């Protein structure tokens, strides 16, 4: 409190445990809601809806940095708990269709490889985001040292929060070329398709030796082949229990 007298000043139990438990419970709620109402949606519609909603929730976090919630009479703990919980629900609406999409695109017999690629890309993305965020905070001179009365160190923190909220929306521009506009229950490829059909390397070599497969999508881009009944961890059934 001495370092940042204007707050917010959360307790260690609330910040380290309370928020985590709340997000974990609401993740389950988001999963149940997805399974009940969203599993028939098309990929494009669901990703656009969830991404924009997540952006809006993240923008609400600016109210804490700008202390607007105090002007509205909403306690910091209640406001942060609500926005963090809502973010956890929407996060599941973005994560689950991605897993379903990968399960449809996973060739039979390489489920472990597909999961390893998923985990590796996810961890790489988190690492790049962390380092990028640290560089952004350094550029904005947000570098608190724990000294008393250093509230001025957080003057530009809202700018970092704004960039963090808006940056994921930029990825939507690539969606028409990267993600098929099919229903999550549709089979994207024939069972006997090649796993590398339409890949950049194949197009570069232009050997034309592999069997051509057509994706059941509304996109003009060919999607990598797979089997709709891929086995193992990568085969997440759309009928999520």
């Amino acid at each position: 409190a001495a370092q940042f007298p204007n707050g917010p000043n959360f307790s260690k139990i609330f910040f380290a445990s309370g928020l985590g438990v709340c997000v974990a419970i609401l993740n389950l709620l988001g999963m149940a809601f997805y399974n009940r109402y969203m599993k028939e949606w098309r990929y494009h519609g669901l990703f656009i809806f969830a991404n924009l909603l997540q952006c809006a929730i993240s923008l609400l976090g600016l109210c804490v940095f700008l202390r607007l919630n105090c002007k509205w009479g909403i306690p910091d703990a209640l406001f942060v708990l609500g926005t963090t919980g809502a973010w956890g629900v929407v996060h599941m609406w973005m994560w689950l269709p991605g897993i379903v999409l990968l399960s449809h695109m996973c060739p039979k017999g390489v489920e472990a490889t597909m999961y390893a690629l998923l985990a590796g890309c996810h961890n790489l993305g988190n690492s790049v985001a962390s380092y990028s965020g640290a560089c952004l905070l350094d550029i904005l001179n947000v570098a608190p040292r724990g000294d008393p009365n250093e509230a001025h160190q957080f003057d530009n923190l809202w700018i970092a929060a704004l960039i963090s909220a808006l940056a994921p929306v930029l990825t939507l521009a690539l969606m028409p070329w990267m993600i098929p506009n099919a229903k999550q229950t549709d089979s994207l490829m024939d069972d006997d398709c090649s796993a590398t059909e339409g890949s950049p390397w194949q197009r570069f070599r232009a050997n034309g030796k592999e069997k051509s497969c057509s994706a059941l999508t509304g996109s003009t881009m060919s999607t990598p082949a797979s089997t709709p009944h891929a086995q193992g961890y990568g085969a997440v059934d759309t009928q999520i229990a």
Side-chain angles (χ1 to χ4, degrees), residues 211-230:
K211 182 178 179 180
S212 176
C213 305
S214 58
L216 301 177
T217 73
S219 172
T220 58
M221 171 185 175
S222 295
T223 310
S226 71
T227 169
H229 53 271

Side-chain angles (χ1 to χ4, degrees), residues 59-209:
L59 288 175
L60 284 176
L62 294 175
C63 298
V64 176
F65 301 120
L66 298 175
R67 313 307 295 140
L68 296 178
N69 63 298
C70 294
K71 296 180 181 179
W72 299 337
I74 305 176
D76 290 325
L78 180 61
F79 192 86
V80 170
L81 192 65
T83 54
T84 303
W87 185 93
V89 172
V90 178
H91 174 71
M92 295 306 296
W93 298 348
M94 296 182 62
W95 175 255
L96 288 174
I99 297 296
V100 172
L101 177 62
L102 286 176
S103 71
H104 281 301
M105 297 173 61
C106 179
K108 187 176 181 179
V110 295
E111 291 82 6
T113 302
M114 178 66 81
Y115 175 68
L117 289 173
L118 170 64
C121 291
H122 183 265
N123 293 334
L124 177 62
N126 284 339
S127 298
V128 172
S130 298
Y131 284 113
S132 300
C135 292
L136 179 61
L137 292 177
D138 185 65
I139 294 173
L140 296 175
N141 296 318
V142 181
R145 299 177 181 274
D147 299 328
N149 299 317
E150 59 174 5
H152 63 280
Q153 291 286 348
F154 300 94
D155 290 344
N156 294 329
L157 186 58
W158 70 273
I159 301 177
L162 178 62
I163 296 174
S164 175
L166 296 178
V169 179
L170 300 178
T171 60
L172 294 178
L174 298 175
M175 189 169 59
W177 294 277
M178 304 298 293
I179 298 177
N181 189 23
K183 286 187 175 181
Q184 298 172 80
T185 52
D186 290 344
S187 297
L188 298 179
M189 292 293 172
D190 298 330
D191 293 347
D192 56 347
C193 289
S194 165
T196 59
E197 172 65 27
S199 67
W201 174 247
Q202 187 192 61
R203 294 198 300 268
F204 175 76
R205 295 182 60 189
N207 53 25
K209 294 181 179 179

